[in-house]
Amino acid sequence: MRSRAGVLELTEAGEHLGLHVLRGHRLWERYLADDGQLPLDRLHDAAERAEHRLAAGELEALADHLGHPRTDPHGDLIPTATGGLQPRERTPLTDWPPDRLAVVVHVEDEPRQVLNEALRAGLRPGTVLRVIGRDAKAVICKTSAGRFALAPAVAANVDVRAAADGEELGKPLATLAGLRLGEQAEVVALSERCTGLGRRRLLDLGFTAGAQVRAVLANLDDTAHAYEVRGTMIALRKEQAEQVLTRPLVAQRRDAGPDSR
């Protein structure tokens, strides 16, 4: 650092080092979430321990492995290798107008209590919501999972943007974890929260849009099931099955018909 007229400011070298540490922190959070499947509330502390140990070459290898993501799991922008940060639209939830559809783009990870309150409300990057009311004590919102109220101090740490065409507030989809033994379903998609290595593994196993799946086995404590998909039996833990969004097969949805007799 240097002092100019009594004001401390970063030198060019200091700014470069700061951006390197910031890039390392956010890439490591993305790696822990995507490949390690670590929950959002456990990423920050782990990344703080790693951010100073990552050399420039290791950062580039990590970015290549992750596909050069634009944001970390909380929605913070990741600096490029040259230190660039692309601007984007974002508005605090406390300032978002009522009845206008929005999409969460960022949830602040500090303080931890604020992050946990937002996560308990089901808010994370990609969540579609609508503000339906507010007063001095709460911002009241609606998502596909239902209504909730956030304290203004929590809502101020959640940033949103306007919803694009196709981003709608619909009914929550069922997941593979809710499929009872013997029942069949059609895969609609993988959850947006399913990323990185876990997502690639499910896709490689055949859990792609349109695939028909049948629940065939369960272990004693019901924490894992075996599913028949594309002619192969695959075992998944409950938390993995919860990432596979499904809908009933047409034949099962009919009360009466040639396929349901």
Side-chain angles (χ1 to χ4, degrees):
M1 300 188 73
R2 61 186 171 214
S3 175
R4 287 185 178 177
V7 178
L8 291 175
E9 61 181 31
L10 283 173
T11 62
E12 185 177 341
E15 184 176 352
H16 178 77
L17 178 59
L19 285 169
H20 172 85
V21 172
L22 183 63
R23 177 171 163 81
H25 181 99
R26 292 178 178 175
L27 279 172
W28 196 253
E29 284 192 335
R30 175 55 70 185
Y31 169 72
L32 292 174
D34 288 4
D35 287 20
Q37 298 294 296
L38 211 62
L40 285 180
D41 61 345
R42 292 177 56 193
L43 299 176
H44 182 78
D45 291 346
E48 271 197 334
R49 293 191 292 270
E51 61 189 21
H52 294 279
R53 301 198 304 264
L54 294 166
E58 292 173 318
L59 275 189
E60 290 317 300
L62 183 59
D64 286 342
H65 170 73
L66 295 171
H68 295 273
R70 187 166 175 249
T71 63
D72 72 9
H74 302 104
D76 286 305
L77 292 170
I78 299 175
T80 65
T82 58
L85 283 169
Q86 298 178 4
R88 65 171 175 176
E89 174 194 354
R90 54 189 283 181
T91 302
L93 186 55
T94 46
D95 297 337
W96 193 254
D99 295 324
R100 187 182 176 197
L101 212 56
V103 178
V104 175
V105 295
H106 172 253
V107 179
E108 185 56 54
D109 57 358
E110 290 186 298
R112 177 75 64 84
Q113 182 179 357
V114 168
L115 172 63
N116 287 338
E117 286 294 326
L119 294 177
R120 275 194 287 271
L123 297 182
R124 60 193 70 230
T127 300
V128 180
L129 61 83
R130 189 189 305 276
V131 175
I132 57 176
R134 62 162 54 90
D135 55 32
K137 295 182 178 179
V139 177
I140 304 166
C141 301
K142 181 180 180 181
T143 68
S144 60
R147 297 186 180 191
F148 61 89
L150 285 180
V154 176
N157 284 275
V158 177
D159 295 317
V160 298
R161 61 164 173 81
D165 290 342
E167 292 177 315
E168 299 177 353
L169 198 61
K171 294 181 180 179
L173 289 167
T175 73
L176 199 57
L179 204 62
R180 291 178 294 186
L181 291 181
E183 287 186 339
Q184 297 183 76
E186 179 184 337
V187 176
V188 176
L190 298 184
S191 167
E192 288 187 358
R193 295 192 290 275
C194 182
T195 56
L197 189 62
R199 186 182 190 88
R200 292 195 293 271
R201 180 174 182 271
L202 287 173
L203 292 173
D204 288 344
L205 289 173
F207 294 97
T208 55
Q212 295 184 11
V213 185
R214 183 167 64 95
V216 293
L217 289 172
N219 65 355
L220 290 177
D221 56 3
D222 203 38
T223 58
H225 280 200
Y227 302 93
E228 184 180 336
V229 56
R230 301 188 186 278
T232 303
M233 190 178 298
I234 304 293
L236 296 180
R237 299 189 307 275
K238 183 177 180 181
E239 57 268 28
Q240 292 174 305
E242 288 173 342
Q243 304 301 319
V244 184
L245 307 180
T246 64
R247 61 184 168 213
L249 289 178
V250 173
Q252 291 184 170
R253 292 199 298 266
R254 295 171 179 162
D255 293 329
D259 294 325
S260 58
R261 290 174 185 170

